[in-house]
Amino acid sequence: MTAFLLALVVGALFALGTFLLLRRDLIRVVWGLAIISQAANVYLLAMGGVAAGTADTVPVLAGHGEHVPETADPLVQALVLTAIVIGFGMTAFALVLSYRVYEEHDTLDVSELGDRE
Amino acid sequence: MTTPLAAMPIGTGSQLVIAPMLVVLVAAVGSLLFSRWPRARMAVSLAGGAGYAIAVAAIDWYVVLAPGAPGIATYQVGDWPAPAGITLVADGLSAFMLTMVAILGIASLVFSTRVLPEIDPRSYYFPLFHFLALGVTGAFLTADLFNLFVWFEVMLMASYVFVAYYGGPQHTRAAFWYVALNLLASAVFLLGVGGIYATTGTLNMADLARRLAEPAAYGIDLGPVVGLLAMLLSVFAIKAGLVPFQFWIPTAYRAAPPQITALLAGATKKVGIYAIIRLSFTVFAGAQISVDLEAPIVGAVVSGPSPLAFVGAVLFAMATASILVGGIGAVGRDSIEGVLAYSSIGQVGFIAIPVAIAATASSAELRHFAIVAALVYALNHTLAKGLLFLAVGAIRSATGTSRLADLGGLARRSPPLAVAFFVGSLALVGIPPLSGFFGKFLVFYTAARAELAPVLGLLLVGSLLTIAYATRTWNRSFWGARTSAVEEATVDPVQVGVLLALATVIVAVGVGFELVYQFAEAAAAAALDTDGYVDAVDPLEPSELEAAGEDAGGGEHA
């Protein structure tokens, strides 16, 4: 069930990201890129698999003798953490750059940008 | 926890492997600290560049070239052994690539110190320069797929800023498309990495190679691996600028400062080539899966016993298109860097052709020879294209323009500059005794040995196009009547000195080709020696691996 839900979320995010990427507004393009990079992160998490935890794998969560929740692969969690940091950094840079593009070109319309030399 | 780790045998471990990365990191941070004192910052940067060259030379000598050298050295970061830890590896292939980058990097760095006064001396130019070098070095040395992604990003982040560096309208626009494209490529890279982790359960390249060679023992389905490799290939092709992923190159190369464009063409591109060679031949070559595809329109059949058949077919197609698009595009450009940018697209095709031949080669000997050809050609392209882009920088700072229409008669105005440019052009065309001759000769010879007549024809067309645009650029800018821009030009002696030094290296590589060839052979042998790579990086038998995993109490390998 979790896997099915994750697949659905990844698919929806990629669809939304691609849709925004194809817009004429530069800010929407940046949003599209941000969403696609987050979609890749969710996908990465899904690829590690979400499995029932045991007291060995999640000692903190299982510490009080309660129900042990499902957890994602710890290696993948580490990878995603790195990918998120990189993704946010890049998105921030892309946003700053689009502001600079606006300053230089006085427009955020992609098709007008392409025409000017 | 510590006992099983300590009991694990670690291959030819050596701290030397991290030396270039440490040096360049210290240089980057050091030049950040000296932001208020431009002269001290330049001194730190140059010292960092020199230290980098020494570290790379030490790796070359102790790991590869010295008599009795081990040929491969590893460093387990934080003493966490592979496959769970991150391993850095310096073998022949990495060392060869590092050497290329080091030579060009030094030239570009010295050149930068002379251009910089025009730009704001307090800008973050030098730290970024070192971070770019750090990313490239890390990508060459890492043995972990996700780590490769991280180093790619380090390299790209610096290059984004450089493309936007001058901050004019065309620079911001070029930078935006460059950033957008590479962010997409990064997402695809992550998809490939995630898929490979899901199918094989590992990201360490050595572990991956071992598991792919015995899929049954690890319960791996090899089918998806070919597709995932295709995703990674497309990412690396974007970095290398192979057609159909070439469209960002002309604008980005025009926008970046010329001495950085030299690095983009000479180093960043080669990271893509390196990753293709490393992953295809060292990692994925061992996978036994029959590839059987039929292209519907051309009727060609792609088949073979490993994913290499697929890699070869794709590379053939991309390289063919690159040579034609790059060559034809370069002939009609109106500025020198436009010509050189398109030429880069064409030349990377010349590097990819022997890689494709190696992927489809039937005999191990031909495969080895083809990779040698690709490496020698890559070396020549790095030196020659680096020299030519730096020459564009010198011409621009002397005359203020690089448009062919505004130039003319430069040869009389500055004979040393003309000599350097001439040597670079000849190396690109492939005239003996320069490095370009051997590169071109080896590529042609590889195609002849593989008995591929159409490829020979293609290479011939590509070479003729190279001659056409090289002569055109030379005639337009260096011969003819002097224009007013050239008349008032003052050529910087240090810039020309750097160009002449690079020209000397090109001649030296051609004259002393024996040694270079040996180095390239060692590099190709390292690229094809999957067993050696696996033994050095991750020297555990499968049974030991499981035992160690259980002892350590980790569930990561489940």
Side-chain angles (χ1 to χ4, degrees), chain B residues 52 118 185 320 343 430:
Chain B
Y52 184 76
E118 294 171 17
T320 307
S343 151

Side-chain angles (χ1 to χ4, degrees), chain B residues 424-437:
Chain B
S425 304
L426 288 187
L428 212 56
V429 172
I431 304 290
L434 305 170
S435 59
F437 167 70

Side-chain angles (χ1 to χ4, degrees), chain A residues 8-61:
Chain A
L8 213 64
V9 169
V10 171
L13 283 177
F14 267 108
L16 179 62
T18 314
F19 173 73
L20 287 173
L21 201 60
L22 298 174
R23 307 264 82 192
R24 278 173 63 175
D25 185 0
L26 218 50
I27 298 297
R28 299 235 163 92
V29 173
V30 176
W31 274 113
L33 289 170
I35 289 174
I36 282 183
S37 73
Q38 296 310 317
N41 292 340
V42 178
Y43 163 88
L44 208 57
L45 212 57
M47 283 297 107
V50 179
T54 64
D56 279 346
T57 55
V58 277
V60 179
L61 296 176

Side-chain angles (χ1 to χ4, degrees), chain B residues 356-385:
Chain B
I357 293 176
T360 48
S362 46
S363 75
E365 201 213 338
L366 178 59
R367 177 169 290 180
H368 176 82
F369 187 77
I371 293 197
V372 171
L375 290 175
V376 171
Y377 203 98
L379 171 70
N380 171 56
H381 179 248
T382 298
L383 295 176
K385 197 51 71 60

Side-chain angles (χ1 to χ4, degrees), chain B residues 214-225:
Chain B
E214 311 167 52
Y218 295 93
I220 295 171
D221 179 13
L222 281 180
V225 165

Side-chain angles (χ1 to χ4, degrees), chain A residues 73 90 100 104-105 113 116, chain B residues 153 167 169 173 183 191 197:
Chain A
D73 187 329
M90 293 298 181
R100 179 74 192 177
E104 292 291 338
H105 294 263
L113 275 185
R116 292 172 130 205
Chain B
E153 295 302 312
R173 195 180 60 198
L183 281 183
L191 296 187
Y197 182 67

Side-chain angles (χ1 to χ4, degrees), chain A residues 69-117:
Chain A
E70 285 187 325
T71 51
D73 187 329
L75 183 92
V76 172
Q77 294 184 33
L79 300 188
V80 166
L81 197 57
T82 315
I84 287 175
V85 172
I86 293 175
F88 271 134
M90 293 298 181
T91 310
F93 181 74
L95 273 175
V96 172
L97 193 62
S98 51
Y99 177 66
R100 179 74 192 177
V101 169
Y102 178 69
E103 277 189 338
E104 292 291 338
H105 294 263
D106 291 326
T107 178
L108 281 174
D109 191 314
V110 169
S111 49
E112 280 180 46
L113 275 185
D115 293 341
R116 292 172 130 205
E117 270 304 325

Side-chain angles (χ1 to χ4, degrees), chain B residues 54-146:
Chain B
I54 293 168
V56 170
I59 286 181
D60 287 349
W61 177 251
Y62 288 109
V63 178
V64 186
L65 294 177
I72 185 164
T74 60
Y75 180 78
Q76 313 280 357
V77 177
D79 215 7
W80 286 92
I86 293 167
T87 311
L88 300 176
V89 189
D91 65 353
L93 183 60
S94 312
F96 191 85
M97 293 286 177
L98 279 177
T99 313
M100 281 178 3
V101 170
I103 296 171
L104 183 62
I106 297 288
S108 174
L109 188 61
V110 175
F111 195 93
S112 299
T113 61
R114 298 301 295 184
V115 195
L116 225 59
E118 294 171 17
I119 315 169
D120 182 6
R122 289 194 3 206
S123 70
Y124 290 99
Y125 182 92
F126 282 114
L128 282 169
F129 189 99
H130 293 299
F131 278 117
L132 182 66
L134 178 65
V136 172
T137 314
F140 285 149
L141 289 177
T142 186
D144 182 281
L145 216 49
F146 189 79

